[in-house]
Amino acid sequence: MRNSWSAAVYCVLLQALLQPGTGLNVCTSGSAASCEECLLIHPSCAWCAQEVFGRDRTLTSRCDLVQNLQKKNCEKRFIEYSTSHVQVLKNLPLSSKRAGSVWDRVVQVSPQKISLSLRPGHQAQFSLQVRQVEDYPVDLYYLMDLSLSMKDDLDTIRNLGTKLALEMGKLTSNFRLGFGSFVDKNMSPFSYTAPKYQENPCNGYKLFPNCVPTFGFRHILPLTDQVDRFNQEVQKQLVSRNRDAPEGGFDAILQAAVCEDKIGWRKEAYHLLVFATDDVPHLALDGRLGGLVQPHDGRCHLDDQNEYSASTKMDYPSLALLGEKLAENNIFLIFAVNKRHYVIYKNFTALIPGTTVEILDQDSKNVIQLIVTAYSNIRSKVELTMSDPPEDISLSFTATCQDGQPLPGLRKCADLKIGDTVSFDVSVETRSCPSSNPKQSFTIKPVGFEDRLEVVVAYECDCGCSRDAQTNSSVCSSIGTYTCGTCHCEPGYLGASCECQEGDASSMAVGACRESEGKQLCSGRGECSCNQCLCYESEFGKFYGSFCECDDFSCARHKGILCSGHGECHCGQCKCHSGYIGDNCNCSTETASCIADDGTMCSGRGQCVCGRCQCTEPGAFGDTCEKCPTCPDACGTKRDCIECRLFGSGRLADNQTCQRLCKDQILTVETLKTDEPGTVLCLYKTHEECVMKFTYTEHASGQSVLEALKEPECGGGGPDALMVLLAVVGSILLVGVVLLAVWKLVITVHDRREFARFQSARSRARYEMASNPLYKQPVSTHCLETDFDMYGKSYNGGFH
């Protein structure tokens, strides 16, 4: 749905871009003065070659959309318009396996030849199928390092031919084997050059005192199916000795690749070159240490004794030259090296297509299994390579491998079985027209395959009406060439019909060069000549228009780039490419990136501005504002995922919907931790009147983590509302009574303390008055006192 919506937006914007009357029609921009220039503006533009068309002095009006030209009464037969197209020239069906012993009938690539007619800016598309047939012939050339350190390896492979042929016989019924060896350049500082070392470089070396003279590369056995000859030749070999650690192996690889006649490479076979060594190779420019300044020429230099004759004359080959020659001769290079140098040769494989590296044991005892494994890996991959594509075209690939899923941008399939068919969709586009050689060709082929697709390219850059050009035509006042409806005047003449000469400046002509009364002639950007404005040149761009009122550089910029690089500047206004809007075309109209997983725009928490979500909900973040721990609906959104993922219920219970929308990590725990920063506690009531609790955390990485209880918390039933109300009211009254009692107690204690203090003060005052001898009360009081005996009985006393 998202893709279809994007396609609809693209179509609308493209239509708006090209629709006349809206100011966005690039075809009528005024920059095309000829049919060829018109076709280069845009693949939708067409040219009207009709003699009587449009208004006078308006050459650019002939360049427009086809439907617009027809509306302007241009007859269909005068409209020049072309598109890119593909024509298949040779297409033999793919083979399943070899047909008897006739190998030239095997077809592993289809089609074999096509023709492309390319109009600039318009894509041409075609498909290519590849299938590896069963029981295909194999040529294997074993190239071995015979420096002194490889002596134990040489002893191991003396019977390699028989064993290898037996194992390879399980994979192909047509196997041939060859052998060659190398050491290094026999010159200083790479080898020992003193006279005593010429015949025996090991002279004086106690561990191994005898060896053969140093040599660069020696071709020993051409490719043959007689494996006994391989064993015999290997048993004759002796090791040699060089001076420095690196070897001259790249010299040997190049000679083994380009000397195809002497090596015996068959055209209809897989070519395997096994390179066995225990050290690193010399690279290009190393030869300058010995005074070799001539770069390698990439040619075969084997003499009559099948030895590399240019070893001491040219530098070592470069990786680029090596890769080029291996590709030209369809050779798979297998580096068989020890573990210590595996990483170095692994890096070489990234620079040389069709190359693999395997680890060789110290004495090469695993070499057979190594070769079988490497061959199986080679047969399980198909990778396309191009040979000499024109510089002005661009190619894009989409691979469809055995799973049937298209993989845009890839031109390789792996993990294939023999007989699997893979296809590649190829899009070709050119942005310009070559100034010379309008017909070119290049090839596309799988790495290491002889089969290939030849692509012939023709450019649709010329208009058919140009072939009918008329020199000194009466339409052009006999002083110009009439072509495609316009006149190309001779030097010194101007006008739509070459009717004027340069320097003519009559008042009528001058008046026609003003956009309106009071305006400058030709807007101050040109000169008026023969009813026409001739615009000046500018170092910043181009002036154009009937009155030179337009230019292609006075438009808005973004970060210093004109029209943000997403539009064209036309007459001071940016005409944005499809998918962009704004004064400087810096705003993308694509909203697909703003659609959240739930299908809403910016998750309903923001707006899509220039292809990116601007979150308006406080606390929301993420590419589509999908993260919002503090939003009111955050718990509700995550609740749906908890229900569908843990209990298979809720509105997202459908498996596909749940898996698509609920991508957060959900953990079940016994107890929830709510004290961590950023953790939000959520709870909701289930249908069973239980309470489900979970926490929601947003990590700094943007990942959401939910922790939920394994089971909801359920009680014995809902509480009685009346009892709860009575309990609350009773509690309030009880608290009030207790507070009043406490208040009363505090007041009583306080009053008693105050009364006791008063009584004490009064007693002290009475005592003080009674003990004063100078003071005697004016009144005496006599009281009848009642005395109690010791038994509590009273009796009356006398008066005092």
Side-chain angles (χ1 to χ4, degrees):
M1 179 178 178
R2 184 184 303 179
N3 292 336
S4 61
W5 185 87
S6 301
V9 172
Y10 174 82
C11 293
V12 170
L13 291 175
L14 180 62
Q15 183 178 5
L17 179 67
L18 300 174
Q19 184 63 35
T22 62
L24 297 176
N25 191 336
V26 296
C27 300
T28 59
S29 61
S31 59
S34 67
C35 179
E36 286 75 14
E37 290 181 9
C38 176
L39 299 186
L40 283 174
I41 293 178
H42 192 275
S44 298
C45 296
W47 177 269
C48 179
Q50 189 170 285
E51 179 179 349
V52 179
F53 175 77
R55 296 178 292 109
D56 294 338
R57 302 169 41 238
T58 311
L59 301 177
T60 57
S61 63
R62 292 180 177 272
C63 185
D64 208 331
L65 302 176
V66 173
Q67 58 269 30
N68 292 342
L69 293 177
Q70 291 177 339
K71 291 178 181 178
K72 296 177 182 178
N73 299 321
C74 182
E75 297 182 23
K76 187 175 181 180
R77 60 193 178 97
F78 290 112
I79 295 179
E80 292 285 339
Y81 178 74
S82 61
T83 59
S84 299
H85 58 276
V86 180
Q87 182 181 3
V88 179
L89 303 179
K90 185 178 180 181
N91 188 17
L92 298 177
L94 294 172
S95 303
S96 298
K97 56 182 179 180
R98 66 169 183 165
S101 61
V102 184
W103 283 102
D104 55 359
R105 296 181 182 175
V106 172
V107 178
Q108 299 185 100
V109 173
S110 178
Q112 295 79 43
K113 186 175 183 179
I114 63 173
S115 173
L116 299 181
S117 295
L118 298 179
R119 174 178 174 176
H122 193 272
Q123 285 188 348
Q125 297 179 338
F126 61 90
S127 295
L128 172 69
Q129 287 77 39
V130 181
R131 179 192 297 161
Q132 299 198 62
V133 302
E134 301 177 10
D135 196 24
Y136 201 74
V138 176
D139 289 345
L140 189 149
Y141 192 80
Y142 195 86
L143 185 57
M144 185 174 181
D145 179 2
L146 283 188
S147 59
L148 189 59
S149 58
M150 292 287 287
K151 182 180 182 303
D152 54 345
D153 300 78
L154 179 60
D155 296 335
T156 301
I157 70 164
R158 293 194 186 277
N159 294 313
L160 174 66
T162 304
K163 298 177 181 178
L164 184 58
L166 182 63
E167 289 297 324
M168 292 298 293
K170 300 175 183 178
L171 303 175
T172 176
S173 62
N174 196 331
F175 175 68
R176 298 200 311 173
L177 189 60
F179 182 70
S181 61
F182 66 91
V183 182
D184 206 346
K185 296 181 182 297
N186 190 14
M187 60 185 301
S188 181
F190 313 114
S191 300
Y192 295 96
T193 57
K196 66 177 182 178
Y197 296 122
Q198 289 300 310
E199 297 299 326
N200 182 13
C202 297
N203 187 6
Y205 188 64
K206 296 181 180 180
L207 295 179
F208 194 76
N210 296 305
C211 56
V212 298
T214 306
F215 58 91
F217 165 65
R218 183 175 295 157
H219 169 49
I220 299 170
L221 177 67
L223 291 165
T224 178
D225 55 4
Q226 300 176 12
V227 295
D228 291 339
R229 288 191 57 195
F230 180 91
N231 296 338
Q232 293 169 6
E233 293 296 336
V234 171
Q235 291 173 3
K236 297 177 184 178
Q237 302 308 308
L238 296 174
V239 295
S240 182
R241 185 187 183 198
N242 61 321
R243 190 171 189 174
D244 58 352
E247 318 291 4
F250 278 9
D251 270 342
I253 292 175
L254 185 62
Q255 293 305 298
V258 299
C259 300
E260 51 184 334
D261 292 335
K262 292 194 174 185
I263 301 298
W265 297 115
R266 290 178 293 178
K267 183 178 181 181
E268 65 288 348
Y270 280 109
H271 301 162
L272 304 183
L273 178 58
V274 179
F275 178 81
T277 185
D278 65 347
D279 221 316
V280 297
H282 276 296
L283 303 176
L285 302 182
D286 285 356
R288 297 195 176 190
L289 297 173
L292 301 179
V293 296
Q294 180 181 353
H296 204 291
D297 59 7
R299 298 178 181 178
C300 178
H301 294 281
L302 292 185
D303 58 18
D304 295 338
Q305 285 74 39
N306 285 331
E307 288 200 13
Y308 178 37
S309 60
S311 178
T312 57
K313 299 177 182 178
M314 289 188 295
D315 194 7
Y316 299 96
S318 65
L319 288 172
L321 179 62
L322 208 60
E324 176 186 341
K325 296 304 177 181
L326 289 171
E328 285 181 3
N329 295 278
N330 307 313
I331 295 175
F332 290 103
L333 177 61
I334 303 173
F335 288 123
V337 299
N338 57 28
K339 187 176 182 179
R340 185 161 58 98
H341 298 109
Y342 176 82
V343 175
I344 296 176
Y345 283 91
K346 185 66 176 177
N347 293 335
F348 289 156
T349 63
L351 303 173
I352 307 176
T355 306
T356 59
V357 58
E358 300 289 343
I359 297 178
L360 187 67
D361 286 349
Q362 192 66 28
D363 56 357
S364 298
K365 62 184 178 181
N366 70 326
V367 65
I368 295 178
Q369 184 59 42
L370 179 151
I371 293 173
V372 172
T373 300
Y375 176 71
S376 299
N377 290 337
I378 290 171
R379 292 278 276 169
S380 67
K381 295 183 292 186
V382 170
E383 181 178 2
L384 297 185
T385 183
M386 294 172 292
S387 175
D388 300 325
E391 295 182 357
D392 53 1
I393 71 171
S394 60
L395 293 93
S396 59
F397 294 83
T398 298
T400 303
C401 302
Q402 67 275 19
D403 58 359
Q405 296 296 324
L407 302 171
L410 292 184
R411 52 181 177 179
K412 178 172 67 174
C413 288
D415 301 326
L416 302 177
K417 297 178 182 178
I418 302 300
D420 285 347
T421 301
V422 296
S423 64
F424 300 90
D425 294 327
V426 187
S427 296
V428 187
E429 182 179 355
T430 181
R431 289 291 183 185
S432 61
C433 290
S435 56
S436 61
N437 193 15
K439 222 170 190 180
Q440 303 182 40
S441 64
F442 65 98
T443 59
I444 301 176
K445 73 183 190 72
V447 175
F449 281 52
E450 178 65 28
D451 302 64
R452 64 193 64 201
L453 168 64
E454 182 181 358
V455 182
V456 180
V457 179
Y459 296 87
E460 295 288 339
C461 295
D462 296 328
C463 296
C465 55
S466 298
R467 294 190 289 267
D468 301 324
Q470 303 173 14
T471 58
N472 299 323
S473 172
S474 60
V475 179
C476 305
S477 305
S478 300
I479 48 176
T481 301
Y482 179 74
T483 176
C484 297
T486 60
C487 286
H488 295 275
C489 304
E490 295 291 339
Y493 292 89
L494 304 172
S497 301
C498 305
E499 70 276 15
C500 299
Q501 285 185 298
E502 290 184 358
D504 183 4
S506 65
S507 59
M508 180 184 67
V510 170
C513 292
R514 298 182 190 274
E515 188 173 4
S516 61
E517 188 64 30
K519 292 289 185 71
Q520 288 182 297
L521 289 175
C522 301
S523 304
R525 296 174 168 183
E527 295 180 355
C528 181
S529 177
C530 192
N531 293 343
Q532 293 182 345
C533 284
L534 303 180
C535 303
Y536 297 139
E537 293 184 355
S538 171
E539 60 180 355
F540 302 106
K542 180 176 64 176
F543 295 121
Y544 61 92
S546 300
F547 308 101
C548 302
E549 73 278 11
C550 296
D551 62 66
D552 60 359
F553 56 85
S554 298
C555 292
R557 299 173 182 265
H558 179 65
K559 295 183 179 180
I561 302 176
L562 189 67
C563 298
S564 306
H566 300 305
E568 305 293 337
C569 182
H570 292 288
C571 205
Q573 183 179 4
C574 285
K575 312 303 179 184
C576 302
H577 294 159
S578 175
Y580 293 90
I581 57 175
D583 293 340
N584 54 12
C585 303
N586 69 324
C587 185
S588 173
T589 60
E590 177 62 48
T591 60
S593 58
C594 297
I595 304 297
D597 289 338
D598 59 1
T600 60
M601 186 71 68
C602 298
S603 304
R605 303 186 182 115
Q607 298 177 344
C608 188
V609 179
C610 297
R612 301 186 64 181
C613 281
Q614 292 186 357
C615 304
T616 56
E617 183 77 20
F621 65 97
D623 292 339
T624 57
C625 304
E626 74 280 6
K627 311 294 185 182
C628 188
T630 59
C631 289
D633 61 339
C635 288
T637 302
K638 301 304 177 183
R639 167 187 173 175
D640 296 332
C641 293
I642 292 289
E643 288 183 336
C644 76
R645 288 273 295 276
L646 297 185
F647 306 109
S649 60
R651 67 182 186 89
L652 302 180
D654 176 64
N655 289 333
Q656 294 182 352
T657 304
C658 187
Q659 293 176 2
R660 178 172 59 84
L661 298 182
C662 300
K663 299 179 180 178
D664 297 334
Q665 183 181 7
I666 300 179
L667 305 175
T668 56
V669 296
E670 296 290 346
T671 57
L672 294 176
K673 297 179 181 179
T674 59
D675 55 349
E676 295 183 3
T679 300
V680 179
L681 176 63
C682 303
L683 51 89
Y684 66 90
K685 193 174 183 180
T686 67
H687 296 296
E688 293 77 14
E689 300 299 325
C690 299
V691 176
M692 184 64 192
K693 297 181 180 179
F694 64 92
T695 58
Y696 168 40
T697 307
E698 289 286 353
H699 288 184
S701 62
Q703 181 185 14
S704 301
V705 178
L706 282 73
E707 292 187 353
L709 294 177
K710 290 185 176 180
E711 297 292 339
E713 295 181 352
C714 300
D720 189 347
L722 181 59
M723 293 299 296
V724 172
L725 179 61
L726 293 177
V728 172
V729 173
S731 299
I732 295 174
L733 292 176
L734 178 60
V735 171
V737 171
V738 171
L739 291 176
L740 287 174
V742 171
W743 178 78
K744 182 62 176 175
L745 178 61
V746 171
I747 294 300
T748 301
V749 171
H750 179 268
D751 289 348
R752 287 184 177 182
R753 286 180 179 176
E754 291 297 323
F755 181 73
R757 190 179 298 114
F758 170 75
Q759 288 291 87
S760 176
R762 182 180 178 185
S763 297
R764 285 196 303 271
R766 182 182 298 173
Y767 171 77
E768 290 173 355
M769 289 186 295
S771 60
N772 188 353
L774 298 179
Y775 176 79
K776 185 177 182 180
Q777 291 184 350
V779 179
S780 297
T781 303
H782 299 275
C783 298
L784 179 62
E785 297 182 359
T786 302
D787 297 330
F788 293 87
D789 62 3
M790 60 181 297
Y791 300 102
K793 296 180 180 181
S794 63
Y795 62 89
N796 294 328
F799 291 97
H800 296 280

